[in-house]
Amino acid sequence: MPGPLAGIRILEFSEIIAAPFAGMLLSDMGAEIIKVEPLEGEPWRLFAPFVPTESRTYISLNRGKRGLTLDLTKPEAREVVRRLVPKTDVVLVNYRPDVPAKLGIDYESLSSLNPRLIYCDNTAFGRKGPHAHRPGYDVIVQGLTGLMALEGKSLDGVPVFNAHAAADYSTGIMMAWAVCAALYHRERSGRGQRIDTTLLGSALAIQNTTFQLVESVDLEWRQRLLKRLEQGRAEGQDYEELRAYLIATRPLQAIGNIHYRVYKTRDSYIVVGALSASLRRKLCDAIGVEDRRIGDPDWDPTKPASREYAAALVAEAEAVLRERTTDEWLALFDAKGVPAGPFRFTQELLNDPQVLANDLQATVEHPLAGTVHMVGAPLQMSETPLAVQGASPALGQHTDEVLSSLGYAANEIAALREAGAVG
């Protein structure tokens, strides 16, 4: 049974994470993805390769695609793009803001060849504002948007970036989501359009509660905070001091949290998430502690006595959780209706029964790397099921195949290769 995007052709000019991830998700939905790379391959291929031009990072983000190598500085290579675009539904672009126009793959150039074209362009910061001209990576956007400060990790007083590229991956999802919406709009209107996504926008979107300001209760606090941060930076205060002030003064902070956290058990760790009052009561009942704060509208967490009570409650809960194994606690929490789960490292999940039962692992055969096990399609649809379409392409693997489909004869392909336009 074909996927929901069967028959859709997507031309992907991409590198690193965001757009490659978007293209991979759309491939799982059945779209044909033609990934265009420079002759030497995109940078992620060359990051810690285990065989020439093949790295784990590249393979993990580019499955199910056809690989086409073009030197877009050559007019012959641009002609290949001009032949492809009229037969293309979607273009994904993930380059620095100034690059598409220099290579002739900007929206204006390509949409003139195909008015029904959907063009999804991702930049780090958007095309307006003081940062618009800058190239950017996930780590830079983490720093700019506060993502890096969210968990408070630091080394010798210097913020440490989050190892998971949250801005990149969330942007990939945003791009795939927007493309599907634009395809639906085109079905109704017959018109293509341009989509602009940004790492900046995605990073803020996944922090919407932290970003939010309720003027009636937060405005005075924010004004004090901004003044304090400005003063602290002027005085050379380090990150730890500035963040400590933020934590100590921010509204509605969770003090003495026993209900949404990780606990050490007798043999491992367990994760508990009990956000509602009824679930918190179930947790307290299960572990045999009393939390007088539940359901008390007059409880003031800022009072010294309240802080002492919270600290003592945390210590009591931690001591109780250490008395049994993780499996023992999970059995009890299941019986009591308390949301909980074991703590795992990602590497432990390859053959996890829950992962396998939900078809979240896929196995593909790579032409150079051999058998590769990877995350499968992240969702399913009853009438148009998603499926992994194959491994990531070897560098330029489908170049001749794509060129032949555009009407290039064997001698013409040889001439393009001789001219250095294709790989």
Side-chain angles (χ1 to χ4, degrees):
M1 192 179 296
L5 296 183
I8 296 296
R9 172 180 278 180
I10 298 177
L11 195 56
E12 182 184 314
F13 300 94
S14 72
E15 57 184 33
I16 314 299
I17 296 176
F21 186 49
M24 190 178 82
L25 294 175
L26 295 166
S27 170
D28 287 350
M29 289 188 164
E32 174 196 359
I33 314 291
I34 299 176
K35 172 150 179 157
V36 179
E37 298 182 66
L39 304 194
E40 69 277 10
E42 67 124 305
W44 229 215
R45 276 191 184 275
L46 311 175
F47 180 81
F50 58 89
V51 295
T53 72
E54 297 296 337
S55 68
R56 286 174 173 81
T57 49
Y58 182 87
I59 287 175
S60 71
L61 289 161
N62 290 280
R63 69 166 179 236
K65 303 176 185 180
R66 300 164 75 195
L68 171 64
T69 49
L70 296 174
D71 181 352
L72 292 173
T73 65
K74 306 276 188 182
E76 299 93 335
R78 294 190 185 191
E79 176 59 28
V80 173
V81 174
R82 283 192 287 270
R83 289 201 197 185
L84 270 171
V85 167
K87 303 177 181 180
T88 296
D89 297 286
V90 179
V91 166
L92 300 178
V93 178
N94 190 185
Y95 291 151
R96 294 192 317 269
D98 59 323
V99 169
K102 290 179 180 178
L103 297 180
I105 57 171
D106 54 296
Y107 174 67
E108 291 72 21
S109 298
L110 300 190
S111 63
S112 67
L113 302 171
N114 180 0
R116 287 172 52 84
L117 185 70
I118 293 164
Y119 184 98
C120 185
D121 181 24
N122 180 61
T123 58
F125 308 110
R127 295 192 171 274
K128 301 175 183 177
H131 297 291
H133 66 287
R134 290 181 171 146
Y137 288 95
D138 183 273
V139 66
I140 299 171
V141 174
Q142 280 190 32
L144 176 66
T145 62
L147 261 179
M148 194 179 296
L150 207 57
E151 301 303 322
K153 295 183 292 185
S154 66
L155 182 63
D156 296 330
V158 177
V160 176
F161 71 90
N162 301 306
H164 181 72
D168 271 335
Y169 279 101
S170 59
T171 298
I173 297 170
M174 296 281 188
M175 295 176 77
W177 171 46
V179 163
C180 290
L183 285 168
Y184 177 68
H185 173 265
R186 192 181 70 175
E187 285 299 301
R188 294 189 299 169
S189 68
R191 299 192 305 273
Q193 61 179 300
R194 172 176 174 154
I195 301 165
D196 284 289
T197 62
T198 65
L199 300 185
L200 172 64
S202 301
L204 292 177
I206 60 176
Q207 298 183 89
N208 55 355
T209 301
T210 306
F211 183 89
Q212 177 178 267
L213 173 75
V214 181
E215 287 198 9
S216 60
V217 294
D218 295 338
L219 187 58
E220 182 181 348
W221 165 79
R222 181 178 183 274
Q223 290 170 337
R224 290 199 314 271
L225 172 67
L226 293 179
K227 183 176 181 180
R228 178 66 178 79
L229 291 177
E230 181 181 2
Q231 177 186 349
R233 289 193 177 104
E235 295 174 355
Q237 290 185 343
D238 66 19
Y239 166 72
E240 297 288 359
E241 294 175 296
L242 296 175
R243 188 170 188 278
Y245 178 80
L246 172 65
I247 292 173
T249 62
R250 69 184 175 191
L252 304 178
Q253 59 179 311
I255 300 174
N257 166 23
I258 68 167
H259 57 273
Y260 198 81
R261 53 167 293 172
V262 180
Y263 282 100
K264 178 75 176 74
T265 64
R266 196 169 75 199
D267 65 340
S268 184
Y269 299 91
I270 193 169
V271 188
V272 173
L275 285 178
S276 69
S278 61
L279 289 176
R280 290 169 66 185
R281 290 189 182 97
K282 290 180 179 180
L283 171 64
C284 289
D285 177 63
I287 65 176
V289 302
E290 180 187 6
D291 187 349
R292 301 199 308 268
R293 301 169 301 178
I294 301 174
D296 184 352
D298 298 321
W299 186 271
D300 184 355
T302 64
K303 293 181 178 178
S306 298
R307 292 177 181 272
E308 291 175 8
Y309 175 82
L313 187 62
V314 167
E316 181 183 1
E318 289 176 339
V320 170
L321 268 292
R322 289 194 189 95
E323 294 174 357
R324 303 188 190 186
T325 68
T326 293
D327 285 345
E328 288 171 338
W329 280 120
L330 285 175
L332 177 60
F333 288 156
D334 286 345
K336 296 284 189 178
V338 177
F343 175 88
R344 294 284 186 267
F345 292 100
T346 308
Q347 292 82 354
E348 297 179 85
L349 298 178
L350 191 62
N351 293 308
D352 183 86
Q354 189 68 27
V355 172
L356 296 177
N358 288 278
D359 296 321
L360 291 173
Q361 186 211 100
T363 301
V364 296
E365 293 298 324
H366 190 277
L368 297 178
T371 302
V372 178
H373 303 279
M374 60 194 314
V375 177
L379 60 90
Q380 275 304 334
M381 302 171 69
S382 64
E383 299 302 313
T384 53
L386 279 62
V388 172
Q389 303 300 314
S392 61
L395 181 59
Q397 179 180 344
H398 304 97
T399 297
D400 288 17
E401 180 183 311
V402 173
L403 293 175
S404 296
S405 71
L406 296 175
Y408 285 91
N411 63 319
E412 292 176 304
I413 296 174
L416 287 174
R417 191 160 282 123
E418 181 68 23
V422 305

